[in-house]
Amino acid sequence: MASAFRLSLKPKVSDNMTHLMVDFSQERQILQTLKFLPVPKAPEIDPVECLVADNSVTVAWRMPEEDNKIDHFIMEYRKTNFDGLPRVKDERCWEMVDNIKGTEYTLSGLKFDSKYMNFRVRACNKAVAGEFSDPVTLETKALNFNLDNSSSHLNLKVEDTCVEWDPTGGKGQDSKVKGKENKGRSGTPSPKRTSVGSRPPAVRGSRDRFTGESYTVLGDTAIESGQHYWEVKAQKDCKSYSVGVAYKTLGKFDQLGKTNTSWCIHVNNWLQNTFAAKHNNKVKALDVAVPERIGVFCDFDGGQLSFYDANSKQLLYSFKAKFTQPVLPGFMVWCGGLSLSTGMQVPSAVRTLQKNENGMTGSTSSLNNIAQ
């Protein structure tokens, strides 16, 4: 528009306007009626009500006073090897579970690969989260072990909690290399020859590697006391395997169950299917189906070794023996593989079954003996 039609408004204040004022009384009244949500107080975890069982942890807490404005709770936890209050600089970070509506929560399917777990909880309303509760430390004790590669048979490929039959390792591979080298002109093998693809024959302590037909690998942690539990799952095409325990003195040519220093159950899927318990070269056929996963329960102080269907917790077989030396978990594999689950507590169902197992006779008594 042309400048002639533009309007310019400039407010001016004069002394005769001092009696004018803005009335905020209505807004003040509205503000005074507003009620803001208070910050929730910190919950209190009750250690007596907390439960650690079956590789699950149930944490229970309560509010110091009733608060109907709470919308949900947040729980944080972390694994640790230190007892008491959590350390500021710990090896693991806090993990969080949000939007918990009740005053308890269960973490299930855990692997207890640490001695303890720390827990803390905070309450939240629609506006704000309160302070964390005092942290609580719960014991999560379980047997953790890996397979001992340093003493395993050279025909076994071992990685932590897995073992597989390796037909190219050890003696088989050495013979192939030796055969090729013997075809040289001199007919004498080279003194510097090496076995391609084979592992170095490492030795743990005074033990040599298992050899011959003892396709065995032991655990790397000895059991000297207490009750312990672990599970084993075989590959579908595994032709033969054994699961049990043995003394450290098990000879490098010895097979599980064929000496008085080892106890096991043996599964054979080669030519004919057999399922049997073995000890001291005595065999007891088991008239039950081979389960998908086998649970092993070892009560060192009570002198009992039991095997279960890990899914149904059905008892497969039980040995009774007075263990005079520490025992190691033992495994034999031929043409196949096994995978282990460790860091497990003794299941509640197994503990209950143990109360009835001491009175067993008949089929289970034939191999039960006192080991010397």
Side-chain angles (χ1 to χ4, degrees):
M1 297 176 64
S3 58
F5 294 95
R6 292 177 183 172
L7 297 177
S8 178
L9 300 177
K10 295 182 180 180
K12 295 182 179 181
V13 179
S14 60
D15 294 339
N16 60 1
M17 296 179 66
T18 56
H19 65 283
L20 300 176
M21 60 181 296
V22 179
D23 184 7
F24 287 105
S25 60
Q26 184 177 0
E27 287 76 10
R28 184 183 296 110
Q29 184 180 2
I30 294 175
L31 290 173
Q32 289 174 348
T33 59
L34 290 177
K35 293 183 179 180
F36 294 95
L37 288 173
V39 177
K41 294 188 176 181
E44 298 175 353
I45 299 178
D46 187 357
V48 178
E49 297 296 326
C50 296
L51 178 64
V52 180
D54 299 323
N55 283 80
S56 299
V57 180
T58 298
V59 183
W61 59 88
R62 59 175 177 267
M63 295 299 297
E65 60 185 41
E66 186 177 355
D67 187 349
N68 57 8
K69 301 297 183 181
I70 292 178
D71 179 69
H72 64 278
F73 295 91
I74 296 175
M75 184 180 75
E76 292 189 345
Y77 65 94
R78 68 179 177 183
K79 297 179 180 181
T80 180
N81 288 316
F82 302 103
D83 192 6
L85 296 176
R87 302 189 176 193
V88 177
K89 294 183 179 180
D90 208 329
E91 66 273 17
R92 308 195 187 191
C93 298
W94 290 98
E95 297 184 58
M96 183 179 69
V97 179
D98 199 354
N99 201 31
I100 302 174
K101 295 299 183 180
T103 56
E104 72 173 33
Y105 188 82
T106 299
L107 289 170
S108 58
L110 299 173
K111 179 179 180 179
F112 288 161
D113 51 0
S114 62
K115 296 180 180 179
Y116 305 94
M117 289 184 69
N118 303 139
F119 295 90
R120 62 185 185 183
V121 181
R122 67 195 307 184
C124 306
N125 54 34
K126 294 292 186 180
V128 67
E131 294 293 329
F132 277 107
S133 65
D134 292 334
V136 170
T137 300
L138 302 178
E139 185 176 13
T140 55
K141 186 178 180 181
L143 176 66
N144 282 278
F145 66 90
N146 290 326
L147 298 175
D148 180 19
N149 180 46
S150 65
S151 65
S152 65
H153 194 287
L154 283 173
N155 281 101
L156 299 181
K157 180 181 179 181
V158 177
E159 294 182 2
D160 294 337
T161 58
C162 295
V163 54
E164 289 188 3
W165 168 258
D166 180 12
T168 64
K171 182 178 179 180
Q173 186 69 21
D174 288 339
S175 61
K176 292 180 181 179
V177 175
K178 183 186 297 184
K180 292 180 180 179
E181 291 177 344
N182 285 340
K183 292 181 180 180
R185 295 180 179 178
S186 63
T188 304
S190 170
K192 296 183 179 181
R193 69 183 186 277
T194 58
S195 175
V196 179
S198 63
R199 295 179 296 274
V203 177
R204 183 193 65 180
S206 59
R207 172 184 293 285
D208 294 330
R209 281 187 177 274
F210 288 103
T211 189
E213 295 185 355
S214 179
Y215 305 116
T216 303
V217 57
L218 300 178
D220 62 1
T221 302
I223 298 174
E224 300 179 357
S225 63
Q227 297 181 344
H228 307 279
Y229 180 85
W230 61 95
E231 293 181 355
V232 183
K233 182 177 180 180
Q235 295 177 355
K236 292 183 178 180
D237 59 347
C238 190
K239 294 182 180 179
S240 179
Y241 63 93
S242 298
V243 178
V245 299
Y247 289 155
K248 293 181 178 180
T249 56
L250 183 68
K252 65 179 183 178
F253 292 98
D254 294 336
Q255 300 180 33
L256 289 178
K258 290 194 174 183
T259 68
N260 63 350
T261 60
S262 61
W263 300 255
C264 73
I265 57 175
H266 175 73
V267 179
N268 178 36
N269 296 318
W270 175 245
L271 298 181
Q272 59 180 353
N273 297 329
T274 60
F275 188 26
K278 292 185 176 183
H279 171 63
N280 201 20
N281 209 25
K282 296 179 181 179
V283 180
K284 174 63 180 179
L286 304 181
D287 188 19
V288 292
V290 179
E292 178 185 4
R293 289 188 300 132
I294 297 175
V296 184
F297 170 77
C298 180
D299 182 359
F300 186 89
D301 301 319
Q304 190 163 346
L305 177 67
S306 301
F307 301 89
Y308 292 87
D309 182 327
N311 294 325
S312 66
K313 299 302 183 290
Q314 175 191 1
L315 178 64
L316 303 175
Y317 193 81
S318 184
F319 291 101
K320 291 189 181 301
K322 184 178 180 181
F323 298 121
T324 58
Q325 303 176 33
V327 296
L328 292 166
F331 311 89
M332 186 282 293
V333 181
W334 180 68
C335 292
L338 300 175
S339 60
L340 315 182
S341 296
T342 66
M344 305 184 72
Q345 288 184 305
V346 179
S348 300
V350 171
R351 291 186 183 277
T352 302
L353 289 171
Q354 292 304 308
K355 296 179 182 179
N356 302 324
E357 196 172 336
N358 291 331
M360 288 192 309
T361 57
S363 62
T364 60
S365 61
S366 58
L367 294 181
N368 293 337
N369 71 316
I370 298 178
Q372 301 296 331

